[in-house]
Amino acid sequence: MPRVTDLSSRIPRLSVTLPVGIGWARVRRTAARVGLVAAAVPVVTGLALMAAERLRRHRHPLDAPFPTAPPAHNTVGATTTTVYTFGDDLYAAMLDAIDHAEQHIFFETYIWKGDDVGRRFREALERAAARGVEVYVAYDAFANLVVRRSFFDLSARIHVLRFPWVRPGALVSPVRASGRDHRKLLVVDDEIGFVGGYNIGSHYARHWRDTHLRLVGPAVWELRNAFVDFWNRWRTPDLPMLKDVGSTAWLPQLRAARNSPSDLVFPIRNVYLDAIDRATSHVQITQAYFIPDREILAALLAAARRGVDVRVLVPERSNHVVADWLARGHYATLLRGGVRIFLYTDAMIHAKTATIDGRWSTVGTANIDRLSLTGNYELNIEIVDADVATTLERIFAMDLTNARELTSEEWEARPTLNKVGERLVSPLGPLL
């Protein structure tokens, strides 16, 4: 048998001896640097966009006149609804309700400016407390960091809950502990209630297009219950517990959906998904910040595929430029899928409303973005009523007169630099 020679022994072996650990140390350092760069790029891009927008806003402020409608009234069961589209009209109605309060006032807001309008609300609440009305106020500390703290030093007769902007557990459970109190509501004597997108301030009175809803009647319990639950959950030991009362009135066609991140409860997102999935004719959505997640995006595209006329109205420029650029990252997909996008021009539209098939509507505080749908405390009223839907459809048509439709051709032809910017800023999406 032929002899097989093992040639491997004749091949010279080369070996390089390196200091122990130097290779892995280099890899770790390189990985760390890459990670820092990857994290820094979207942040730096966002800061650059904010700086550029600040300069642009100085030259071209969002203060152009826009169409509004007078308060519109409808009846749902034993409850009267009123839709407001102009801040002066809304604030007058809210202040009138406060001035006629006899028993108690529950007032909750995200932003409360220390300007002329803010002082009018403060003075009205002080007058109510002075005449013996029980006044309870809740406001978000983080949203009002730029407002002097002394503005919120109300008289001892008023119970004030300053929702903390830093809370225990933020590092362990950021969803539960980092959400803001983004709600805006007022309840007077359990008879009149207000909820919607309007914060409190002079700028919002005339320069922002927003939408708010007033309820008069038994459905006000929906707002009272939302305030009481929030108050009792977050009150400090020096604040009184509010009585939790039931309701003998059931109105399934007018219900409140309340997000509560501390309990990981987020029904508003499900309300939108269920309503969009039911659409057979048309969907009309107005949003200040429109950054849909995968499921909502899929639901809108599915509706468009089955022939539903899906229209989304957003500001061409909002007060949050990073949110605008994140929203634009979805425009190509939406337009290719048959969703029509309308851009509100030369003014800020801050409304959070929708109506579907002339039957279902919602008005509230939640935007269609991560912060609102799975982060903040929010409150939306869901209404199944043809008359209310007709009112909101008329308002949507009015708003379209101050908007322009974005076409696929225009969007595809946008500058390459814009496309790059959208990609660079996209990692910030989970934060907003």
Short mmCIF file of all heavy atoms in Angstrom, two decimals, residues 144-197:
data_model
loop_
_atom_site.label_atom_id
_atom_site.label_comp_id
_atom_site.label_asym_id
_atom_site.label_seq_id
_atom_site.Cartn_x
_atom_site.Cartn_y
_atom_site.Cartn_z
N ASN A 144 -44.83 73.65 32.54
CA ASN A 144 -44.87 75.03 33.01
C ASN A 144 -43.57 75.48 33.66
O ASN A 144 -43.56 76.42 34.47
CB ASN A 144 -46.04 75.19 33.98
CG ASN A 144 -47.38 75.00 33.30
OD1 ASN A 144 -47.87 75.87 32.60
ND2 ASN A 144 -47.97 73.82 33.49
N LEU A 145 -42.45 74.85 33.29
CA LEU A 145 -41.17 75.25 33.85
C LEU A 145 -40.81 76.69 33.51
O LEU A 145 -40.09 77.36 34.26
CB LEU A 145 -40.06 74.31 33.35
CG LEU A 145 -40.03 72.91 33.96
CD1 LEU A 145 -38.97 72.06 33.27
CD2 LEU A 145 -39.78 72.97 35.46
N VAL A 146 -41.30 77.18 32.37
CA VAL A 146 -40.97 78.55 31.96
C VAL A 146 -41.88 79.58 32.62
O VAL A 146 -41.66 80.78 32.47
CB VAL A 146 -41.04 78.70 30.43
CG1 VAL A 146 -40.03 77.79 29.76
CG2 VAL A 146 -42.45 78.40 29.91
N VAL A 147 -42.90 79.12 33.33
CA VAL A 147 -43.81 80.04 34.03
C VAL A 147 -43.30 80.22 35.46
O VAL A 147 -42.95 79.24 36.13
CB VAL A 147 -45.25 79.48 34.05
CG1 VAL A 147 -46.19 80.46 34.76
CG2 VAL A 147 -45.74 79.22 32.62
N ARG A 148 -43.29 81.45 35.93
CA ARG A 148 -42.81 81.71 37.28
C ARG A 148 -43.60 80.89 38.30
O ARG A 148 -44.83 80.88 38.27
CB ARG A 148 -42.92 83.20 37.62
CG ARG A 148 -41.87 84.07 36.95
CD ARG A 148 -42.02 85.50 37.38
NE ARG A 148 -43.37 86.00 37.09
CZ ARG A 148 -43.83 87.19 37.50
NH1 ARG A 148 -43.06 87.98 38.22
NH2 ARG A 148 -45.04 87.58 37.17
N ARG A 149 -42.88 80.24 39.20
CA ARG A 149 -43.54 79.38 40.19
C ARG A 149 -44.53 80.17 41.05
O ARG A 149 -45.56 79.64 41.47
CB ARG A 149 -42.47 78.71 41.06
CG ARG A 149 -43.01 77.74 42.10
CD ARG A 149 -43.62 76.51 41.46
NE ARG A 149 -44.16 75.60 42.45
CZ ARG A 149 -43.48 74.60 43.00
NH1 ARG A 149 -42.21 74.39 42.63
NH2 ARG A 149 -44.02 73.81 43.89
N SER A 150 -44.24 81.44 41.29
CA SER A 150 -45.13 82.25 42.12
C SER A 150 -46.52 82.40 41.51
O SER A 150 -47.49 82.63 42.23
CB SER A 150 -44.51 83.63 42.34
OG SER A 150 -44.32 84.31 41.10
N PHE A 151 -46.61 82.26 40.17
CA PHE A 151 -47.93 82.37 39.53
C PHE A 151 -48.88 81.29 40.06
O PHE A 151 -50.09 81.50 40.11
CB PHE A 151 -47.78 82.25 38.01
CG PHE A 151 -49.08 82.26 37.27
CD1 PHE A 151 -49.75 83.45 37.04
CD2 PHE A 151 -49.65 81.08 36.79
CE1 PHE A 151 -50.96 83.46 36.35
CE2 PHE A 151 -50.84 81.09 36.10
CZ PHE A 151 -51.51 82.29 35.88
N PHE A 152 -48.32 80.14 40.44
CA PHE A 152 -49.14 79.02 40.90
C PHE A 152 -49.31 79.00 42.42
O PHE A 152 -49.85 78.04 42.97
CB PHE A 152 -48.54 77.70 40.42
CG PHE A 152 -48.47 77.60 38.92
CD1 PHE A 152 -47.27 77.78 38.25
CD2 PHE A 152 -49.61 77.32 38.17
CE1 PHE A 152 -47.20 77.70 36.87
CE2 PHE A 152 -49.55 77.24 36.79
CZ PHE A 152 -48.34 77.43 36.14
N ASP A 153 -48.85 80.05 43.09
CA ASP A 153 -49.06 80.15 44.53
C ASP A 153 -50.46 80.69 44.78
O ASP A 153 -50.66 81.87 45.09
CB ASP A 153 -48.00 81.06 45.16
CG ASP A 153 -46.62 80.44 45.11
OD1 ASP A 153 -46.53 79.20 45.02
OD2 ASP A 153 -45.63 81.21 45.13
N LEU A 154 -51.45 79.83 44.63
CA LEU A 154 -52.84 80.23 44.81
C LEU A 154 -53.17 80.29 46.30
O LEU A 154 -52.42 79.80 47.15
CB LEU A 154 -53.76 79.25 44.08
CG LEU A 154 -53.45 79.05 42.58
CD1 LEU A 154 -54.40 78.03 41.97
CD2 LEU A 154 -53.54 80.36 41.82
N SER A 155 -54.29 80.88 46.61
CA SER A 155 -54.68 81.04 48.01
C SER A 155 -54.88 79.68 48.67
O SER A 155 -55.12 78.66 47.99
CB SER A 155 -55.96 81.86 48.12
OG SER A 155 -57.06 81.13 47.61
N ALA A 156 -54.81 79.67 49.99
CA ALA A 156 -54.93 78.42 50.74
C ALA A 156 -56.29 77.77 50.57
O ALA A 156 -56.45 76.58 50.85
CB ALA A 156 -54.65 78.69 52.22
N ARG A 157 -57.27 78.53 50.11
CA ARG A 157 -58.61 77.97 49.90
C ARG A 157 -58.66 77.02 48.70
O ARG A 157 -59.60 76.24 48.57
CB ARG A 157 -59.62 79.11 49.70
CG ARG A 157 -59.84 79.99 50.92
CD ARG A 157 -60.91 81.03 50.62
NE ARG A 157 -60.49 81.94 49.58
CZ ARG A 157 -60.01 83.17 49.79
NH1 ARG A 157 -59.88 83.60 51.04
NH2 ARG A 157 -59.67 83.94 48.79
N ILE A 158 -57.67 77.12 47.80
CA ILE A 158 -57.66 76.31 46.58
C ILE A 158 -56.70 75.14 46.76
O ILE A 158 -55.56 75.32 47.19
CB ILE A 158 -57.24 77.17 45.37
CG1 ILE A 158 -58.25 78.29 45.15
CG2 ILE A 158 -57.11 76.30 44.12
CD1 ILE A 158 -57.92 79.20 43.99
N HIS A 159 -57.17 73.95 46.42
CA HIS A 159 -56.35 72.74 46.51
C HIS A 159 -55.59 72.58 45.18
O HIS A 159 -56.21 72.50 44.12
CB HIS A 159 -57.20 71.51 46.77
CG HIS A 159 -58.15 71.68 47.93
ND1 HIS A 159 -57.73 71.79 49.23
CD2 HIS A 159 -59.51 71.77 47.96
CE1 HIS A 159 -58.77 71.93 50.03
NE2 HIS A 159 -59.86 71.92 49.29
N VAL A 160 -54.25 72.53 45.25
CA VAL A 160 -53.43 72.51 44.04
C VAL A 160 -52.57 71.26 44.00
O VAL A 160 -51.82 70.98 44.94
CB VAL A 160 -52.53 73.76 43.96
CG1 VAL A 160 -51.68 73.72 42.69
CG2 VAL A 160 -53.37 75.03 44.00
N LEU A 161 -52.68 70.52 42.89
CA LEU A 161 -51.84 69.35 42.65
C LEU A 161 -50.88 69.69 41.52
O LEU A 161 -51.28 69.87 40.38
CB LEU A 161 -52.69 68.13 42.28
CG LEU A 161 -52.03 66.76 42.24
CD1 LEU A 161 -53.10 65.67 42.25
CD2 LEU A 161 -51.14 66.55 41.02
N ARG A 162 -49.61 69.82 41.86
CA ARG A 162 -48.56 70.07 40.86
C ARG A 162 -48.01 68.71 40.44
O ARG A 162 -47.25 68.08 41.18
CB ARG A 162 -47.48 70.96 41.46
CG ARG A 162 -46.30 71.26 40.55
CD ARG A 162 -45.29 72.15 41.28
NE ARG A 162 -44.03 72.26 40.57
CZ ARG A 162 -43.75 73.16 39.64
NH1 ARG A 162 -44.67 74.05 39.30
NH2 ARG A 162 -42.56 73.20 39.05
N PHE A 163 -48.41 68.25 39.24
CA PHE A 163 -47.99 66.93 38.79
C PHE A 163 -46.48 66.94 38.58
O PHE A 163 -45.98 67.69 37.74
CB PHE A 163 -48.71 66.55 37.50
CG PHE A 163 -48.46 65.13 37.06
CD1 PHE A 163 -48.94 64.07 37.80
CD2 PHE A 163 -47.74 64.87 35.91
CE1 PHE A 163 -48.71 62.75 37.39
CE2 PHE A 163 -47.50 63.57 35.49
CZ PHE A 163 -47.99 62.52 36.24
N PRO A 164 -45.72 66.14 39.33
CA PRO A 164 -44.26 66.24 39.32
C PRO A 164 -43.65 65.85 37.98
O PRO A 164 -44.12 64.92 37.32
CB PRO A 164 -43.82 65.29 40.43
CG PRO A 164 -44.95 64.31 40.55
CD PRO A 164 -46.19 65.07 40.23
N TRP A 165 -42.59 66.57 37.61
CA TRP A 165 -41.95 66.25 36.33
C TRP A 165 -40.85 65.22 36.50
O TRP A 165 -40.40 64.64 35.52
CB TRP A 165 -41.43 67.51 35.65
CG TRP A 165 -40.26 68.18 36.29
CD1 TRP A 165 -40.28 68.96 37.40
CD2 TRP A 165 -38.91 68.16 35.83
NE1 TRP A 165 -39.02 69.43 37.67
CE2 TRP A 165 -38.15 68.96 36.71
CE3 TRP A 165 -38.26 67.56 34.75
CZ2 TRP A 165 -36.79 69.15 36.56
CZ3 TRP A 165 -36.90 67.75 34.61
CH2 TRP A 165 -36.18 68.54 35.49
N VAL A 166 -40.42 64.96 37.71
CA VAL A 166 -39.50 63.85 37.99
C VAL A 166 -40.16 62.99 39.05
O VAL A 166 -40.52 63.48 40.12
CB VAL A 166 -38.14 64.36 38.50
CG1 VAL A 166 -37.25 63.18 38.88
CG2 VAL A 166 -37.45 65.23 37.44
N ARG A 167 -40.31 61.70 38.73
CA ARG A 167 -41.01 60.80 39.65
C ARG A 167 -40.18 59.55 39.87
O ARG A 167 -39.42 59.12 38.98
CB ARG A 167 -42.38 60.43 39.09
CG ARG A 167 -43.27 61.63 38.85
CD ARG A 167 -44.71 61.26 38.55
NE ARG A 167 -44.86 60.47 37.34
CZ ARG A 167 -44.83 60.97 36.13
NH1 ARG A 167 -44.61 62.24 35.93
NH2 ARG A 167 -45.00 60.19 35.07
N PRO A 168 -40.29 58.92 41.04
CA PRO A 168 -39.55 57.69 41.33
C PRO A 168 -39.86 56.60 40.31
O PRO A 168 -41.01 56.47 39.86
CB PRO A 168 -40.03 57.30 42.73
CG PRO A 168 -40.55 58.57 43.33
CD PRO A 168 -41.12 59.35 42.19
N GLY A 169 -38.86 55.83 39.94
CA GLY A 169 -39.06 54.70 39.03
C GLY A 169 -38.87 55.03 37.57
O GLY A 169 -39.09 54.18 36.71
N ALA A 170 -38.46 56.28 37.24
CA ALA A 170 -38.33 56.66 35.84
C ALA A 170 -37.29 55.82 35.11
O ALA A 170 -37.43 55.52 33.92
CB ALA A 170 -37.98 58.14 35.73
N LEU A 171 -36.22 55.42 35.80
CA LEU A 171 -35.19 54.61 35.17
C LEU A 171 -35.59 53.14 35.07
O LEU A 171 -35.25 52.45 34.12
CB LEU A 171 -33.87 54.75 35.93
CG LEU A 171 -33.24 56.15 35.94
CD1 LEU A 171 -31.98 56.15 36.77
CD2 LEU A 171 -32.95 56.61 34.51
N VAL A 172 -36.34 52.67 36.08
CA VAL A 172 -36.74 51.27 36.10
C VAL A 172 -37.92 51.02 35.16
O VAL A 172 -37.95 50.03 34.42
CB VAL A 172 -37.10 50.84 37.54
CG1 VAL A 172 -37.58 49.39 37.56
CG2 VAL A 172 -35.90 51.04 38.46
N SER A 173 -38.90 51.91 35.21
CA SER A 173 -40.10 51.74 34.37
C SER A 173 -40.43 53.07 33.72
O SER A 173 -41.31 53.80 34.18
CB SER A 173 -41.28 51.24 35.22
OG SER A 173 -42.43 51.07 34.41
N PRO A 174 -39.73 53.45 32.64
CA PRO A 174 -39.90 54.78 32.05
C PRO A 174 -41.31 55.04 31.53
O PRO A 174 -41.77 56.18 31.57
CB PRO A 174 -38.87 54.81 30.93
CG PRO A 174 -38.53 53.38 30.65
CD PRO A 174 -38.70 52.66 31.95
N VAL A 175 -42.00 54.02 31.03
CA VAL A 175 -43.36 54.24 30.53
C VAL A 175 -44.28 54.64 31.67
O VAL A 175 -45.05 55.60 31.58
CB VAL A 175 -43.89 52.98 29.82
CG1 VAL A 175 -45.35 53.17 29.43
CG2 VAL A 175 -43.05 52.68 28.58
N ARG A 176 -44.19 53.92 32.79
CA ARG A 176 -45.07 54.20 33.92
C ARG A 176 -44.75 55.53 34.59
O ARG A 176 -45.64 56.19 35.12
CB ARG A 176 -44.96 53.09 34.96
CG ARG A 176 -45.64 51.79 34.57
CD ARG A 176 -45.40 50.73 35.64
NE ARG A 176 -46.03 49.47 35.29
CZ ARG A 176 -47.02 48.92 35.99
NH1 ARG A 176 -47.46 49.49 37.06
NH2 ARG A 176 -47.53 47.76 35.62
N ALA A 177 -43.49 55.92 34.60
CA ALA A 177 -43.07 57.04 35.45
C ALA A 177 -42.65 58.29 34.70
O ALA A 177 -42.27 59.27 35.33
CB ALA A 177 -41.93 56.59 36.36
N SER A 178 -42.71 58.29 33.38
CA SER A 178 -42.23 59.46 32.65
C SER A 178 -43.33 60.21 31.91
O SER A 178 -43.09 61.27 31.35
CB SER A 178 -41.15 59.05 31.65
OG SER A 178 -41.68 58.17 30.68
N GLY A 179 -44.55 59.68 31.88
CA GLY A 179 -45.64 60.32 31.15
C GLY A 179 -46.03 61.65 31.77
O GLY A 179 -46.01 61.83 32.99
N ARG A 180 -46.39 62.62 30.93
CA ARG A 180 -46.84 63.93 31.38
C ARG A 180 -48.36 63.93 31.56
O ARG A 180 -49.06 63.10 30.99
CB ARG A 180 -46.47 65.02 30.39
CG ARG A 180 -45.05 65.08 29.91
CD ARG A 180 -44.00 65.10 30.98
NE ARG A 180 -44.38 65.77 32.21
CZ ARG A 180 -43.96 65.39 33.43
NH1 ARG A 180 -43.14 64.36 33.54
NH2 ARG A 180 -44.34 66.03 34.50
N ASP A 181 -48.86 64.89 32.36
CA ASP A 181 -50.30 65.11 32.44
C ASP A 181 -50.68 66.06 31.31
O ASP A 181 -50.63 67.29 31.47
CB ASP A 181 -50.68 65.69 33.80
CG ASP A 181 -52.18 65.96 33.90
OD1 ASP A 181 -52.93 65.44 33.05
OD2 ASP A 181 -52.60 66.70 34.82
N HIS A 182 -51.04 65.49 30.18
CA HIS A 182 -51.30 66.26 28.97
C HIS A 182 -52.78 66.61 28.81
O HIS A 182 -53.21 67.14 27.80
CB HIS A 182 -50.83 65.43 27.75
CG HIS A 182 -50.74 66.20 26.48
ND1 HIS A 182 -51.50 65.90 25.38
CD2 HIS A 182 -49.97 67.26 26.12
CE1 HIS A 182 -51.20 66.71 24.39
NE2 HIS A 182 -50.28 67.56 24.81
N ARG A 183 -53.58 66.37 29.84
CA ARG A 183 -55.02 66.56 29.74
C ARG A 183 -55.39 68.04 29.97
O ARG A 183 -54.68 68.78 30.65
CB ARG A 183 -55.74 65.68 30.76
CG ARG A 183 -55.28 64.24 30.67
CD ARG A 183 -56.08 63.27 31.48
NE ARG A 183 -56.40 63.66 32.82
CZ ARG A 183 -57.16 62.94 33.65
NH1 ARG A 183 -57.66 61.78 33.22
NH2 ARG A 183 -57.42 63.33 34.87
N LYS A 184 -56.52 68.44 29.37
CA LYS A 184 -57.05 69.79 29.56
C LYS A 184 -58.55 69.65 29.79
O LYS A 184 -59.30 69.38 28.84
CB LYS A 184 -56.81 70.68 28.34
CG LYS A 184 -55.35 70.79 27.90
CD LYS A 184 -55.04 69.88 26.77
CE LYS A 184 -53.60 70.11 26.28
NZ LYS A 184 -53.18 69.03 25.36
N LEU A 185 -58.98 69.80 31.03
CA LEU A 185 -60.41 69.64 31.30
C LEU A 185 -60.86 70.56 32.42
O LEU A 185 -60.07 70.99 33.26
CB LEU A 185 -60.76 68.19 31.59
CG LEU A 185 -60.20 67.51 32.84
CD1 LEU A 185 -61.16 67.65 34.01
CD2 LEU A 185 -59.96 66.03 32.58
N LEU A 186 -62.15 70.85 32.42
CA LEU A 186 -62.80 71.66 33.45
C LEU A 186 -64.15 71.06 33.73
O LEU A 186 -64.92 70.76 32.81
CB LEU A 186 -62.95 73.11 32.96
CG LEU A 186 -63.81 74.03 33.82
CD1 LEU A 186 -63.14 74.29 35.18
CD2 LEU A 186 -64.08 75.36 33.10
N VAL A 187 -64.46 70.86 35.01
CA VAL A 187 -65.77 70.35 35.44
C VAL A 187 -66.31 71.31 36.48
O VAL A 187 -65.63 71.62 37.46
CB VAL A 187 -65.67 68.93 36.02
CG1 VAL A 187 -67.03 68.46 36.53
CG2 VAL A 187 -65.13 67.96 34.97
N VAL A 188 -67.55 71.76 36.29
CA VAL A 188 -68.18 72.69 37.21
C VAL A 188 -69.49 72.10 37.71
O VAL A 188 -70.40 71.83 36.92
CB VAL A 188 -68.44 74.06 36.53
CG1 VAL A 188 -69.20 74.99 37.46
CG2 VAL A 188 -67.12 74.70 36.11
N ASP A 189 -69.54 71.86 39.03
CA ASP A 189 -70.77 71.38 39.71
C ASP A 189 -71.32 70.09 39.11
O ASP A 189 -72.53 69.82 39.24
CB ASP A 189 -71.85 72.47 39.68
CG ASP A 189 -71.47 73.69 40.51
OD1 ASP A 189 -70.57 73.58 41.35
OD2 ASP A 189 -72.08 74.75 40.31
N ASP A 190 -70.49 69.33 38.43
CA ASP A 190 -70.91 68.07 37.78
C ASP A 190 -72.01 68.29 36.75
O ASP A 190 -72.68 67.34 36.33
CB ASP A 190 -71.39 67.05 38.82
CG ASP A 190 -70.29 66.62 39.77
OD1 ASP A 190 -69.11 66.88 39.46
OD2 ASP A 190 -70.61 66.04 40.82
N GLU A 191 -72.17 69.52 36.31
CA GLU A 191 -73.22 69.86 35.34
C GLU A 191 -72.66 70.32 34.00
O GLU A 191 -73.29 70.14 32.96
CB GLU A 191 -74.14 70.95 35.90
CG GLU A 191 -74.91 70.53 37.14
CD GLU A 191 -75.74 71.66 37.72
OE1 GLU A 191 -75.62 72.81 37.20
OE2 GLU A 191 -76.47 71.44 38.70
N ILE A 192 -71.47 70.96 34.03
CA ILE A 192 -70.84 71.47 32.82
C ILE A 192 -69.41 70.96 32.79
O ILE A 192 -68.69 71.01 33.81
CB ILE A 192 -70.84 73.01 32.79
CG1 ILE A 192 -72.25 73.56 32.91
CG2 ILE A 192 -70.18 73.52 31.50
CD1 ILE A 192 -72.30 75.08 33.01
N GLY A 193 -68.98 70.48 31.64
CA GLY A 193 -67.61 69.98 31.51
C GLY A 193 -67.01 70.38 30.17
O GLY A 193 -67.73 70.52 29.18
N PHE A 194 -65.69 70.59 30.16
CA PHE A 194 -64.97 70.95 28.94
C PHE A 194 -63.76 70.03 28.79
O PHE A 194 -63.08 69.71 29.77
CB PHE A 194 -64.46 72.40 29.01
CG PHE A 194 -65.52 73.46 29.12
CD1 PHE A 194 -66.09 73.76 30.34
CD2 PHE A 194 -65.92 74.18 28.00
CE1 PHE A 194 -67.05 74.76 30.46
CE2 PHE A 194 -66.88 75.17 28.10
CZ PHE A 194 -67.45 75.47 29.33
N VAL A 195 -63.45 69.65 27.54
CA VAL A 195 -62.25 68.87 27.27
C VAL A 195 -61.84 69.09 25.81
O VAL A 195 -62.70 69.32 24.95
CB VAL A 195 -62.47 67.37 27.54
CG1 VAL A 195 -63.48 66.77 26.56
CG2 VAL A 195 -61.16 66.59 27.49
N GLY A 196 -60.54 69.06 25.56
CA GLY A 196 -60.08 69.22 24.18
C GLY A 196 -58.62 69.60 24.13
O GLY A 196 -57.85 69.33 25.05
N GLY A 197 -58.22 70.27 23.05
CA GLY A 197 -56.82 70.55 22.81
C GLY A 197 -56.31 71.85 23.37
O GLY A 197 -55.09 72.06 23.43
#
